[in-house]
Amino acid sequence: MPGAGASDTSGRIRAVSDLLAGLNPPQREAVMHGEGPLLVLAGAGSGKTRVLTHRVARLVGEAGVPPDAILAITFTNKAAAELRERIAALVGPRARAVWASTFHAACVRILRREAPEAGYASDFSIYDADDQLRLIRRCLADEHIDPKRLAPRAVQARISDAKSRLRGPDDLAAETGSFQDELIARVYRRYADALRANGAMDFDDLLMVTAQLLEGDPVVRARWQSRFRHVLVDEYQDTNHAQYRLVRALGEPQRNVVAVGDDDQGIYSWRGADVGNILDFERDYPDARVVALEQNYRSTGTILRAANAVVGRNPHRHPKRLWTDAGDGDPIAVVACRDEHEEARVVAGVVDDALGRGESLADVAVFYRTNAQSRAIEDQLVRRGIAYVVVGGPRFYERAEVRDLLAYLRAAANPIDAVSLERALGAPKRGIGPGCMARLRDFAAAHDIPIAEALPRAEEVPGVNPGQRAALLATGALLADVRRADAAGSPLDRIVEDVLERSGLREALAREGTFEAQGRIENLEEMVGVAAEYGASAEEPSLAGFLEGVALQADADLVDPEAGAVTLMTIHNAKGLEFDTVVITGLEEALFPHVRSDTPEALEEERRLFYVGLTRARRHLTLTHAESRAMHGGRDYRIPSRFLAELPPDALAAPPGARRGRPGIAGLAREAARAVGVARAPRLATGDSVLHATFGEGVVTAIEGGGELVRVRFAQDGAERRLMAGAAPMRKVEG
């Protein structure tokens, strides 16, 4: 007898057995779990969305749970929409009543009803990132704090971080450890007051206010706890502290909390995610059932064997091992390249091979650790007429910071280029707005001169304040110096470096102090390398010739993207995607793992990031590393990533066309292991001289953590860095 079950799209009732058809045993166990907490450890490509949707369908169909008593939380609107569609296909129109939404959307719905209890009107405004930034700038001005001293975006990032930890202005003030921290706490307090005065919340408030309201008001808490009988959270490893507290509050007292996620894919600590939330789920819910989804439906056995070997090195993880019944497939190709240009040619060759196998361009993806790496790859694909798209941002030469730098260079090369000059004067922001520009244009027109020639005469321009005048004079001097240096035949990379230094472009981003700002700095510094490459290859290098080459490269006609295009992206942006063919580039120490990954926790996350990259590939996987790479206008010699040494040798094979004279794959692994292990042998002491693969010569200034960590001051930039003694690509210099 069919009895209770899930309905199909026409509303007919189907047997529960229909829901379980096609599910493997662990998936069925998760779907059929009854009351109480459940942790679903969903390995990459293991069908977690299928488990989530089928569980909701079973709750509604068999268990008779009202759809509006189910809260299913995802991290993106796209994922929430997909979840609703899939549930509707199983349950029918009733699925519309399921709360399938993002954390922020769920909090908005709660707060529209409960806002008065938190001291807000129900029609409160929601400020986006731009609104926040404008308000923070006003608060800085009200506190008489120079935005050059304390960058608004840096303040925004710190306030966001505090709110994600449910820390208010007073809490942040109590945590302060420096004068700058005290300033940020002051701005935070004023910003919070301004938001309330405007009847507004920012995105972080939506989470913080809801969590604090649920925890602090027993009536409100009881109302929503009784409303939701089941709480399901996707991508639980990506939750921050505020989201964690929300789930805990809403999940009581029924404790029907289902956390679905994979600690091996926790890669977003830089935006507040805490992988410890999923690692500690069994501590929070001692009676939780744990179901591991280990059967992979995406990748070949060889790729999974490599991924398991790498992530298995992390000490802090739930034990699991992905497997497939789809066969081993092809071995993984590891290619050693001379430099980033040969690496780009290898990428193009992989694309050709994929097309030769009958794949489309859309079946191929190229991953890199930092956005700046895309430039050489983009250049090569353009030359080869291979269509590509950059996910997560514009193409290299279209990135705002790159265009800002080019604006300075174009304004110097062409004094009558008013468009480039106006962009340069506005980057970075220094008070030269539309009014100032209008007065400058009027002055130039009155004297029949280009705007560029008006800059040295800024003291004669009426209505210009002292700050604006100083900026105009400094820019005019910089552009004149660039023209003189170009005429004298100065190397283009030195000219570009001088512009970066004197324009304030790099300094402004450094003040922001955010993960995104660091990536933009790397893009700017990549332009120094572009200029150096041009200078080395051009018969008669000049600023005009350099700009012409960049313009042609940026404006090159590509194959119609509708016919398919290769996907380029950072590995962070690749999570949740899959491709038949994947290339992971830049597998070198100080690049991947990144140079900033100098703690055990950071190194574990870098390894998880590599694991995510590996498990995006369905059939074919190529890993590349370069012996040298253009860095800061020079050439930096690289060491193969330790991650290559962690791959099982039997999963690897040298591809056709690999560099002749290079060691075999097993030898490469041993070479990498030796390269990254050089710091493990010597005992370092304060005062020892060391040589680092990236930072050069330095002196040990302190030993910490029983010898596991060392502080080194490096000669090339005077910076002191905290490094892992057993992992940093560094050796002791004797004598």
Side-chain angles (χ1 to χ4, degrees):
M1 157 176 185
S7 66
D8 62 21
T9 54
S10 65
R12 295 190 303 269
I13 301 297
R14 297 185 291 143
V16 174
S17 58
D18 292 343
L19 281 176
L20 302 181
L23 301 182
N24 63 41
Q27 289 174 332
R28 292 180 185 178
E29 183 181 358
V31 169
M32 295 303 296
H33 172 72
E35 301 286 304
L38 171 67
L39 174 62
V40 181
L41 297 171
S46 62
K48 67 179 176 67
T49 304
R50 187 176 176 88
V51 168
L52 267 173
T53 55
H54 282 236
R55 177 166 177 79
V56 172
R58 189 194 70 80
L59 290 173
V60 173
E62 184 207 28
V65 178
D68 62 354
I70 299 173
L71 174 62
I73 299 176
T74 68
F75 270 83
T76 67
N77 290 317
K78 181 181 178 182
E82 181 185 0
L83 192 62
R84 285 192 295 270
E85 290 171 6
R86 291 198 184 190
I87 296 171
L90 296 169
V91 177
R94 291 182 296 166
R96 288 194 293 269
V98 174
W99 279 50
S101 69
T102 64
F103 272 104
H104 290 92
C107 287
V108 169
R109 292 182 68 178
I110 294 172
L111 288 172
R112 290 300 182 198
R113 174 171 174 175
E114 306 291 355
E117 303 299 326
Y120 290 85
S122 296
D123 60 350
F124 61 86
S125 299
I126 301 173
Y127 281 8
D128 62 19
D130 287 339
D131 297 326
Q132 296 172 43
L133 204 55
R134 281 195 294 271
L135 186 55
I136 287 171
R137 289 195 177 101
R138 190 195 309 167
C139 293
L140 285 167
D142 291 343
E143 289 288 339
H144 307 292
I145 299 172
D146 187 348
K148 293 181 180 179
R149 179 178 185 183
L150 194 60
R153 290 189 185 278
V155 177
Q156 185 183 32
R158 288 291 301 278
I159 292 174
S160 178
D161 174 70
K163 289 185 177 183
S164 75
R165 297 183 290 113
L166 303 183
R167 309 295 282 173
D170 293 340
D171 300 315
L172 190 62
E175 296 174 355
T176 57
S178 67
F179 181 64
Q180 186 180 65
D181 289 342
E182 293 177 7
L183 292 180
I184 291 173
R186 279 168 46 193
V187 177
Y188 183 8
R189 187 176 289 106
R190 186 176 286 273
Y191 172 73
D193 291 342
L195 282 173
R196 280 198 174 266
N198 285 278
M201 298 188 201
D202 61 25
F203 271 51
D204 296 304
D205 283 329
L206 299 177
L207 303 179
M208 183 172 75
V209 173
T210 306
Q212 292 176 336
L213 183 60
L214 290 171
E215 292 182 343
D217 190 319
V219 176
V220 173
R221 181 170 64 251
R223 184 157 49 239
W224 290 97
Q225 286 177 343
S226 64
R227 172 66 180 270
F228 297 123
R229 290 173 52 185
H230 291 266
V231 178
L232 302 89
V233 185
D234 193 15
E235 304 288 4
Y236 195 70
Q237 78 280 350
D238 294 336
T239 53
N240 62 27
H241 187 65
Q243 291 160 338
Y244 163 80
R245 295 269 286 273
L246 276 167
V247 173
R248 292 276 289 175
L250 290 171
E252 298 292 341
Q254 292 96 337
R255 303 176 71 253
N256 291 326
V257 176
V258 177
V260 181
D262 183 8
D263 48 288
D264 289 334
Q265 297 186 71
I267 59 174
Y268 296 125
S269 66
W270 50 274
R271 65 185 190 195
D274 185 358
V275 73
N277 293 341
I278 193 169
L279 291 174
D280 295 336
F281 189 86
E282 294 165 270
R283 180 202 66 188
D284 296 334
Y285 304 93
D287 58 334
R289 176 181 292 185
V290 180
V291 177
L293 306 183
E294 297 175 299
Q295 184 172 0
N296 177 281
Y297 296 93
R298 175 189 301 157
S299 305
T300 65
T302 296
I303 292 170
L304 296 180
R305 190 161 69 254
N308 287 329
V310 169
V311 81
R313 299 259 183 156
N314 278 351
H316 302 109
R317 61 185 294 269
H318 289 287
K320 52 189 168 300
R321 190 168 186 84
L322 297 180
W323 63 275
T324 181
D325 58 9
D328 282 346
D330 292 340
I332 298 168
V334 179
V335 187
C337 308
R338 291 186 180 86
D339 53 30
E340 68 272 22
H341 304 295
E342 185 175 26
E343 182 178 59
R345 290 192 292 273
V346 168
V347 168
V350 170
V351 175
D352 288 341
D353 291 343
L355 295 176
R357 291 191 296 265
E359 298 174 19
S360 71
L361 291 176
D363 293 324
V364 183
V366 183
F367 301 155
Y368 33 79
R369 179 61 180 81
T370 66
N371 276 303
Q373 293 170 250
S374 78
R375 196 270 310 173
I377 299 168
E378 290 186 55
D379 288 354
Q380 182 60 217
L381 295 180
V382 167
R383 293 191 190 101
R384 297 281 292 272
I386 298 172
Y388 70 93
V389 293
V390 178
V391 173
R395 299 176 183 224
F396 181 80
Y397 293 110
E398 295 171 358
R399 294 167 190 168
E401 62 276 9
V402 173
R403 291 173 65 87
D404 290 341
L405 172 60
L406 289 172
Y408 277 92
L409 299 175
R410 288 176 178 138
N414 182 5
I416 64 172
D417 183 353
V419 172
S420 293
L421 179 59
E422 289 190 24
R423 180 170 186 131
L425 288 171
K429 295 186 184 300
R430 46 198 161 169
I432 302 177
C436 180
M437 285 304 310
R439 286 186 281 275
L440 191 66
R441 282 194 296 269
D442 291 344
F443 178 85
H447 292 79
D448 195 25
I449 58 176
I451 294 181
E453 293 184 20
L455 297 183
R457 300 171 62 178
E459 294 180 351
E460 304 174 40
V461 180
V464 175
N465 65 45
Q468 293 169 333
R469 187 177 299 115
L472 294 173
L473 290 170
T475 302
L478 171 58
L479 298 181
D481 288 347
V482 169
R483 284 191 286 271
R484 282 192 291 270
D486 180 44
S490 295
L492 263 295
D493 55 312
R494 293 184 187 175
I495 291 175
V496 173
E497 178 62 41
D498 191 45
V499 172
L500 283 183
E501 188 66 28
R502 293 172 59 185
S503 66
L505 288 171
R506 180 163 49 201
E507 181 186 358
L509 290 170
R511 285 200 307 272
E512 289 184 20
T514 63
F515 181 89
E516 293 81 4
Q518 181 58 42
R520 296 174 68 189
I521 291 173
E522 291 168 355
N523 290 334
L524 289 174
E525 292 176 342
E526 178 68 12
M527 284 298 296
V528 180
V530 175
E533 291 171 9
Y534 166 79
S537 60
E539 291 185 7
E540 297 182 8
S542 67
L543 179 58
F546 172 68
L547 291 171
E548 179 182 300
V550 168
L552 292 173
Q553 191 75 8
D555 197 43
D557 291 329
L558 299 177
V559 178
D560 183 0
E562 292 186 1
V566 175
T567 301
L568 275 56
M569 67 181 82
T570 65
I571 302 184
H572 281 102
N573 284 320
K575 189 168 174 289
L577 304 176
E578 57 184 73
F579 303 88
D580 281 348
T581 296
V582 167
V583 187
I584 303 178
T585 62
L587 279 157
E588 302 134 32
E589 288 295 304
L591 184 55
F592 198 7
H594 199 272
V595 66
R596 295 192 299 273
S597 304
D598 55 1
T599 66
E601 296 79 15
L603 182 59
E604 283 195 48
E605 181 155 331
E606 288 290 292
R607 188 173 283 110
R608 293 195 295 268
L609 187 61
F610 185 43
Y611 169 84
V612 167
L614 295 173
T615 54
R616 300 311 94 191
R618 288 192 287 253
R619 299 171 57 198
H620 305 283
L621 179 60
T622 298
L623 312 176
T624 66
H625 66 99
E627 295 174 350
S628 72
R629 211 171 274 277
M631 301 286 287
H632 314 301
R635 186 134 300 266
D636 188 27
Y637 291 90
R638 319 294 295 180
I639 296 173
S641 170
R642 72 195 72 190
F643 297 153
L644 293 174
E646 296 172 1
L647 297 168
D650 63 351
L652 311 178
R659 291 276 308 279
R660 296 192 179 274
R662 298 295 301 164
I665 299 303
L668 176 63
R670 288 192 296 272
E671 176 185 305
R674 287 195 299 271
V676 302
V678 292
R680 300 174 189 175
R683 290 181 173 270
L684 296 175
T686 301
D688 283 346
S689 296
V690 295
L691 181 64
H692 192 280
T694 299
F695 305 124
E697 295 180 358
V699 176
V700 177
T701 59
I703 305 294
E704 302 174 0
E708 292 185 2
L709 299 171
V710 296
R711 288 190 177 273
V712 181
R713 185 171 300 281
F714 291 95
Q716 69 177 19
D717 58 4
E720 187 173 85
R721 294 179 171 87
R722 188 166 175 256
L723 306 170
M724 293 179 63
M730 177 176 67
R731 63 178 176 85
K732 182 178 177 180
V733 178
E734 304 291 345

